[in-house]
């Protein structure tokens, strides 16, 4: 094998994928640690998913990240699925093993928690209820992670109620479903508030909800990171809440994959944030 052929390749698959910040992030880490390797975006249509993913190891890929719309479908292609990916029903990180098996994991939930732990070290999730707004793919990872860190009750509100009911049946009695129109009323005494909807994202409808009942000691976080400071975070901060933006989740969820593929645990710090924001 030539020296070139041994250079590990990784990337992100999606459809579309051009918007992904992952190539900027992994590219920055590769340069920062002086590692050999490449990380590239690959646009794969859903109909080609299984065939193309199986050819990637032969091309020198050691693993990939998976983004929309493939995060659920990839579970049917993987040979080994971690418990947390199975529980969430989606994977975002694949490892192509030497024995030819495809290992699928989901690091969104651990990335979500690592972001909060890093930026709000006093956050004590087990001391009271959490409010989760939204019941899409990201909410599944967030709810699994909140349960794992001991949140006693998760108040869940979603525009489409049956989707929230689905999460209630998957994650159990700690999840209590509320009407979307009542969401402002469930903020009272919440220790943690998470927006997992796309509301407030650039190009999407505004996030409009009264925060009058928000506890000023709550930790408020938004998965939306464009803009970095969403309207929710601006208003919550003005009320005295600790707020954490969603960019750190993106950075932390990427770290385990980078370590497995390129052999170096990367730092998630201010320099990393800057590199991604400037890309
Ligand atoms: P998804 O599966 O498409 O879910 C979208 C969610 O937003 C659903 O709960 C949906 O409600 C809700 N929603 C959309 N438009 C709405 C509206 N006009 N009014 C009320 N609710 C609305 O998407 P996802 O993968 O969960 O991602 C959700 C957000 O999280 C996106 O902005 C994504 O970029 C962000 N995200 C960030 C990270 C990170 O690392 N920071 C990671 C993953 C996701 P319905 O069920 O009623 O449609």
């Amino acid at each position: 094998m030539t020296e070139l052929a041994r250079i590990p390749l990784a990337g992100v698959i999606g459809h579309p994928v051009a918007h992904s910040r992952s190539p900027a992030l992994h590219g920055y880490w590769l340069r920062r640690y002086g590692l050999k390797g490449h990380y590239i975006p690959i646009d794969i249509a859903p109909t080609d998913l299984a065939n193309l993913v199986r050819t990637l190891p032969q091309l020198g890929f050691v693993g990939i990240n998976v983004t929309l719309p493939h995060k659920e479908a990839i579970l049917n292609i993987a040979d080994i699925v971690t418990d947390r990916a199975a529980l969430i029903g989606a994977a975002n990180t694949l490892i192509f093993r030497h024995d030819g098996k495809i290992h699928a994991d989901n690091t969104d939930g651990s990335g979500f928690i690592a972001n909060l732990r890093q930026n709000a070290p006093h956050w004590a999730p087990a001391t009271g209820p959490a409010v989760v707004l939204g019941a899409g793919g990201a909410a599944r990872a967030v709810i699994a992670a909140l349960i794992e860190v001991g949140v006693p009750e998760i108040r869940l509100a979603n525009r489409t109620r049956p989707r929230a009911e689905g999460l209630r049946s998957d994650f159990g009695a700690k999840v209590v479903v509320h009407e979307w129109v009542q969401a402002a009323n469930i903020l009272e005494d919440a220790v943690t508030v998470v927006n997992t909807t796309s509301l407030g994202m650039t190009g999407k409808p505004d996030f409009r909800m009264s925060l009058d009942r928000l506890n000023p000691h709550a930790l408020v976080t938004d998965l939306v990171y464009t803009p970095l400071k969403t309207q929710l975070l601006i208003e919550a901060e003005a009320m005295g809440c600790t707020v954490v933006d969603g960019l750190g989740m993106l950075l932390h969820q990427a770290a385990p994959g980078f370590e497995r593929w390129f052999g170096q645990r990367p730092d998630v710090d201010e320099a990393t944030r800057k590199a991604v924001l400037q890309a």
Side-chain angles (χ1 to χ4, degrees):
M1 211 183 246
T2 66
E3 182 61 23
L4 191 65
R6 279 198 295 271
I7 293 179
L9 300 178
V12 54
I13 60 164
H15 187 68
V17 78
H19 65 282
S20 172
R21 305 233 181 166
S22 296
L25 171 60
H26 288 267
Y28 165 74
W29 278 335
L30 284 167
R31 289 192 302 279
R32 174 167 168 174
Y33 299 109
L35 299 171
K36 281 189 175 155
H38 298 286
Y39 185 101
I40 55 174
I42 310 170
D43 194 315
I44 297 183
T47 45
D48 297 329
L49 184 66
N51 281 342
L52 290 183
V53 166
R54 289 196 191 287
T55 63
L56 291 175
Q58 295 157 29
L59 299 174
F61 279 80
V62 290
I64 45 170
N65 286 126
V66 183
T67 188
L68 301 178
H70 303 314
K71 290 173 97 166
E72 288 91 23
I74 205 73
L75 293 185
N76 299 322
I77 295 163
D79 303 296
I80 300 157
V81 175
T82 62
D83 288 347
R84 59 186 180 178
L87 180 66
I88 294 165
N92 69 344
T93 305
L94 300 190
I95 294 154
F96 300 141
R97 295 180 6 162
H98 293 303
D99 62 5
K101 292 203 177 354
I102 298 177
H103 178 274
D105 193 10
N106 193 315
T107 62
D108 279 336
S110 58
F112 169 74
I113 298 294
N115 183 36
L116 299 186
R117 295 266 190 232
Q118 182 177 39
N119 293 295
H122 302 299
W123 177 54
T127 57
V131 169
V132 175
L133 304 171
R140 297 184 70 88
V142 164
I143 289 172
L146 288 174
I147 290 173
E148 205 176 311
V149 296
V151 170
E153 176 194 341
I154 294 168
R155 300 170 182 168
L156 176 63
N158 190 51
R159 177 181 60 175
T160 309
R161 187 177 171 122
R163 218 172 169 191
E165 302 283 3
L167 269 66
R168 161 80 171 71
S169 60
D170 288 352
F171 290 99
K174 280 195 175 176
V175 177
V176 182
V177 175
H178 296 265
E179 287 297 331
W180 177 246
V181 290
Q182 292 294 327
N185 297 329
I186 59 175
L187 296 174
E188 204 159 280
D189 72 13
V191 165
T192 312
V193 176
V194 191
N195 175 39
T196 78
T197 75
S198 49
L199 291 172
M201 189 174 171
T202 307
K204 301 278 184 187
D206 292 341
F207 181 94
R208 292 173 196 272
M209 182 182 295
S210 166
L211 301 185
D212 289 352
R213 297 200 165 184
L214 186 61
N215 162 18
H217 302 294
L219 169 89
V220 180
T221 185
D222 201 327
L223 266 53
V224 170
Y225 56 83
T226 48
L228 209 49
K229 254 307 170 53
T230 61
Q231 194 59 31
L232 167 64
L233 298 187
I234 291 169
E235 285 181 32
E237 192 167 42
M239 292 178 70
C241 295
T242 301
V243 301
V244 179
D245 68 58
L247 182 62
M249 175 177 170
L250 176 83
L251 308 181
H252 280 286
Q253 63 78 31
F258 186 89
E259 182 175 14
R260 283 297 292 263
W261 306 325
F262 301 116
Q264 162 89 42
R265 182 77 186 179
D267 286 313
V268 175
D269 54 12
E270 201 46 42
T272 309
R273 277 175 71 89
K274 269 197 191 134
V276 172
L277 287 171
Q278 284 165 3

